[in-house]
Amino acid sequence: MIMTLYYFNHDKNADMITAFFAQKGTTAEGLQSVPQNGDANKPRGGDVIFVHWLSSKAWETYAKDNPMVDLVVISRASITRDNQWPMNIHVCRHSANSFGDNSKVREFVEAYKTDNIKKWELIEPSDYPEELVAWYLVMIAKDKGIDVTGSMPSDLEAKAKNSFESIRSRFGNGNLLFDRAGIAKLLQCVTST
Amino acid sequence: MRDINIRRVANRTPWNISCRAAVVRGQLKHSWLENQVMNKSADDVVHLWNEIGWPALEQDFAARVQEAIRLAEGMVSGFSPAQIVDRIAVFQEIPTEIRDMLRGAVHEEYLQCTELPADSARLRDAATVMGEAVNTLLGAWNNPRTEQGASDIRQAWNEVLEKARQLAQVLDDLPRGIVLP
């Protein structure tokens, strides 16, 4: 079976992972976000995605929804496996030597050496609730005397509020109001996690 | 206590929304300092000097220092939420002049609460002293392969390591994505 190896990296010419695999001279191609259903280049069962860290909850959701795709998190030693992560998320430390410490990673590397892996690049996912961020920026502008709410789609506020309430319930912070100050506090909660 | 609260607000980066400045920060800290510099002891570097050479040091390190200085110089606009105005779909539907006003208002609010100008100065200073340490090492690199030469390399590398740790700490303090005011 030909396995596809995807990896998240800062860019295609940098970093340990690039250096490690660059010896093979394979071509890197980029995906722009966490793979979605319908993507032409969507990983399939048996494929592997290397990520630097789980910077987005979307990765965890992705791993749960795609149990046949393995995610390898290249983390610093201080980061340990979260018990809530599904079993197809693997962790190895952030140094070239640590590849060999992790049996799953060693298996991938061996497959790579035998040319059964095609290399891909996946850049950092930065999915975010766009409507909520948009509404927040509109509120900031309004406080500065620039009211653009009339130019916004009529359903933007409702969509932003839905996002707000969904995130608020995740953080168990039901006291926050859907206003600029409340959104700001919620954004701080998201930042801190 | 007040300072801590201000700091937290200034670095509000929910979802680490991607921007070029955050990518460069990551490259400098992880790809360069952690994976090329701070993972080497003086013995490792003496071995490279004596046996096999180190093209990355001779060809890349000075450019990395300059990249850090450029990041410092462009940092305030680099992490500004103004750039996200051009990415959000609903804002693409509004007239250009209104979008410009929105972008300006958001950037102005960000400037009022960000501490990035101070971080910029810290980064520029840390990168400059790192550059000086790298230059000292490069100066010793062509010395004759003698015990004295090895001693000079060792001393110069320990200085590079100290400055690299300081620079890495400054980079670690920077936002991981677009800052929302």
Side-chain angles (χ1 to χ4, degrees), chain A residues 9-11 13-16 52-53 55 76 94-95 124-138 140-141 144 146 148 151-153 156 167 170 180 183-185 187-188 190-191, chain B residues 8-18 20 22-23 25-27 29-31 34-35 64 81 84-85 87-91 93-95 98 101-102 104-106 108-109 112 172 176 180-181:
Chain A
N9 203 346
H10 295 299
D11 76 28
N13 296 316
D15 203 76
M16 165 193 73
H52 249 92
W53 57 82
S55 55
R76 282 180 272 178
H94 194 287
S95 77
E124 180 172 21
S126 56
D127 50 321
Y128 58 95
E130 193 169 295
E131 287 90 357
L132 177 59
V133 172
W135 187 252
Y136 181 58
L137 298 184
V138 167
I140 288 172
K144 300 189 85 66
I146 297 168
V148 299
S151 302
M152 293 293 111
L156 177 63
I167 298 166
R170 195 194 312 158
R180 185 185 162 182
I183 297 172
K185 285 181 182 169
L187 297 185
Q188 191 56 49
V190 176
T191 299
Chain B
R8 285 179 177 166
V9 170
N11 281 335
R12 187 187 288 133
T13 56
W15 304 288
N16 291 339
I17 300 170
S18 175
R20 181 66 192 158
V23 171
R25 184 210 72 85
Q27 289 172 341
K29 180 170 183 287
H30 301 299
S31 307
E34 290 180 348
N35 295 330
R64 291 291 196 174
I84 204 175
V85 170
R87 289 196 225 160
I88 290 178
V90 294
F91 294 154
E93 307 299 322
I94 62 178
I98 295 179
M101 290 166 63
L102 178 64
V106 166
E108 186 184 323
E109 180 71 10
Q112 287 174 359
D172 196 48
R176 304 297 199 270
L180 294 181

Side-chain angles (χ1 to χ4, degrees), chain A residues 2-191:
Chain A
I2 296 213
M3 181 191 293
T4 301
L5 169 68
Y6 298 79
Y7 68 95
F8 156 69
N9 203 346
H10 295 299
D11 76 28
K12 67 179 70 173
N13 296 316
D15 203 76
M16 165 193 73
I17 301 171
T18 312
F20 189 84
F21 291 108
Q23 304 161 32
K24 306 291 286 191
T26 47
T27 304
E29 296 185 46
L31 297 179
Q32 298 299 313
S33 63
V34 176
Q36 302 291 319
N37 287 330
D39 283 353
N41 298 323
K42 187 173 176 287
R44 297 170 302 175
D47 289 345
V48 184
I49 303 175
F50 278 84
V51 296
H52 249 92
W53 57 82
L54 294 185
S55 55
S56 163
K57 191 80 175 172
W59 276 120
E60 189 180 326
T61 304
Y62 174 81
K64 283 177 182 163
D65 292 345
N66 295 272
M68 299 305 288
V69 175
D70 286 290
L71 265 70
V72 178
V73 184
I74 312 293
S75 79
R76 282 180 272 178
S78 57
I79 298 174
T80 54
R81 198 178 192 293
D82 186 320
N83 286 335
Q84 294 185 338
W85 290 353
M87 295 307 291
N88 56 328
I89 295 182
H90 316 276
V91 180
C92 69
R93 284 179 288 109
H94 194 287
S95 77
N97 292 336
S98 72
F99 277 114
D101 298 341
N102 182 302
S103 60
K104 194 71 184 173
V105 175
R106 199 158 54 237
E107 182 185 319
F108 300 148
V109 170
E110 288 306 313
Y112 185 81
K113 283 178 180 170
T114 56
D115 285 334
N116 284 333
I117 295 180
K118 174 183 168 191
K119 190 175 73 164
W120 287 71
E121 175 174 335
L122 186 65
I123 64 171
E124 180 172 21
S126 56
D127 50 321
Y128 58 95
E130 193 169 295
E131 287 90 357
L132 177 59
V133 172
W135 187 252
Y136 181 58
L137 298 184
V138 167
M139 292 293 98
I140 288 172
K142 191 175 182 183
D143 281 354
K144 300 189 85 66
I146 297 168
D147 190 349
V148 299
T149 50
S151 302
M152 293 293 111
S154 57
D155 60 350
L156 177 63
E157 181 175 5
K159 287 182 175 176
K161 192 172 183 184
N162 278 343
S163 266
F164 176 83
E165 288 173 349
S166 167
I167 298 166
R168 185 178 62 182
S169 66
R170 195 194 312 158
F171 285 98
N173 208 337
N175 294 328
L176 292 181
L177 299 175
F178 180 62
D179 56 17
R180 185 185 162 182
I183 297 172
K185 285 181 182 169
L186 194 64
L187 297 185
Q188 191 56 49
C189 292
V190 176
T191 299

Side-chain angles (χ1 to χ4, degrees), chain B residues 104-144:
Chain B
V106 166
H107 186 67
E108 186 184 323
E109 180 71 10
Y110 155 77
L111 289 179
Q112 287 174 359
C113 70
T114 183
E115 288 188 332
L116 284 172
D119 289 333
S120 168
R122 286 177 62 218
L123 177 57
R124 189 189 56 236
D125 292 348
T128 300
V129 295
M130 176 69 177
E132 291 166 359
V134 167
N135 283 339
T136 302
L137 178 64
L138 285 169
W141 201 254
N142 291 323
N143 285 351

